[in-house]
Amino acid sequence: MKKTIFLGLAMLFATLSFAQNNRSTAEVFLQITKPGKYTVYLDDELVSSATGRFRFYDVYNSKPMLSIMQGNRLMLKEQLNVNAQERLIVGFDNGRLNVIKQLSLFRNNQYALDDFYGYSEPYNTGISPRPDRGPVRNYTLMSPEAFYQFFSLYKKERFDDGRSRLIKATGKNASFSTEQIRYLLKEFSFDDQRLETAKYLYAKTIDTQNYTLLAETFRFSSSKDDFLNFIAKE
């Protein structure tokens, strides 16, 4: 009898230990570039924010429904694909939802992520825990409020060379999303400066997988071809 009870307890502890180590949850983080007051649903969970950043922890559904509301207006409703033990970071702007990053939650059985875009120290080694996804880079993306203030100043520049100087000065300490860069490039008057800036900002963007979408900002096919050839070589 005692042997049976002991065996049962051992099996129970083993099951609990397995459940503890079998982390099946995920995280979904959303960045909205355009300033404003938004309400975001992930399935039935609700988050409201005026900062443009929304965080959903303990996501069990592998295909949750994301809904973005501004006031009573539905801006987007889209189903996501979420992997267990990963943080999915997506960005919303201009009516589109783009994947920015997918990061593993754990390194060496320890939670390893910072408050939004990357790995916290001492886990920010630049080495990807998923070799198939390439190296992990640490970014400091401008918040929607900071970008709005910068863009207001940027639009006051009358000439392309002044716009370029502002971008390079700001880019020393900040990164951008593809959508933010699209706003910047559209303000240029000429394709030559637009192309030079687009090449410079490639290393400063957090979602290079979306960078080809910027081809639409060029007025001439030769500039567009030069831009796409540049990306193909990176």
Side-chain angles (χ1 to χ4, degrees):
M1 182 66 178
K2 289 183 179 181
K3 184 176 180 181
T4 302
I5 294 175
F6 177 78
L7 181 60
L9 288 174
M11 293 178 64
L12 175 62
F13 285 130
T15 302
L16 291 174
S17 177
F18 175 78
Q20 185 177 11
N21 291 315
N22 185 25
R23 304 178 178 95
S24 59
T25 63
E27 297 177 354
V28 174
F29 283 16
L30 169 68
Q31 171 81 62
I32 299 179
T33 303
K34 187 176 181 181
K37 177 70 174 180
Y38 297 91
T39 301
V40 177
Y41 292 86
L42 190 69
D43 287 338
D44 296 328
E45 186 176 354
L46 166 66
V47 175
S48 296
S49 174
T51 66
R53 291 183 176 181
F54 304 82
R55 299 170 175 85
F56 295 91
Y57 299 93
D58 296 328
V59 178
Y60 290 92
N61 187 358
S62 63
K63 294 184 180 297
M65 184 65 69
L66 179 74
S67 302
I68 301 175
M69 304 285 298
Q70 188 172 30
N72 295 323
R73 181 185 176 192
L74 179 64
M75 307 292 292
L76 176 131
K77 187 172 184 179
E78 187 170 319
Q79 191 174 51
L80 305 179
N81 291 314
V82 178
N83 297 320
Q85 301 186 29
E86 286 191 354
R87 176 185 294 176
L88 173 66
I89 307 172
V90 293
F92 174 73
D93 198 9
N94 197 33
R96 294 196 302 261
L97 194 69
N98 298 312
V99 175
I100 296 176
K101 280 187 178 183
Q102 290 175 271
L103 303 172
S104 294
L105 296 180
F106 302 97
R107 284 184 172 176
N108 299 323
N109 293 319
Q110 298 292 325
Y111 187 85
L113 299 183
D114 64 11
D115 66 342
F116 212 89
Y117 283 106
Y119 289 92
S120 59
E121 297 296 343
Y123 302 102
N124 186 25
T125 62
I127 301 173
S128 173
R130 295 282 302 274
D132 58 309
R133 297 223 171 131
V136 174
R137 292 182 286 177
N138 190 28
Y139 298 97
T140 304
L141 180 68
M142 296 183 74
S143 68
E145 293 82 3
F147 180 75
Y148 181 78
Q149 292 174 357
F150 167 71
F151 190 64
S152 297
L153 175 65
Y154 176 82
K155 289 186 70 175
K156 294 178 181 178
E157 283 290 336
R158 297 178 58 190
F159 303 105
D160 284 356
D161 58 349
R163 298 183 182 101
S164 180
R165 284 195 298 270
L166 268 176
I167 288 174
K168 289 180 180 179
T170 304
K172 283 190 173 183
N173 300 303
S175 298
F176 302 88
S177 69
T178 295
E179 285 298 329
Q180 289 174 339
I181 294 172
R182 185 178 64 84
Y183 283 117
L184 299 177
L185 294 182
K186 281 183 174 293
E187 292 297 316
F188 280 96
S189 301
F190 302 102
D191 262 7
D192 56 348
Q193 195 73 54
R194 183 179 291 113
L195 179 60
E196 179 184 335
T197 303
K199 290 180 178 180
Y200 166 76
L201 287 174
Y202 182 80
K204 300 289 183 178
T205 186
I206 63 170
D207 55 337
T208 54
Q209 73 273 17
N210 299 316
Y211 214 67
T212 54
L213 298 176
L214 298 178
E216 67 177 8
T217 64
F218 294 97
R219 297 177 181 176
F220 299 102
S221 58
S222 58
S223 301
K224 178 179 178 180
D225 291 342
D226 193 342
F227 172 72
L228 293 176
N229 288 335
F230 166 79
I231 296 177
K233 294 177 182 178
E234 290 297 308

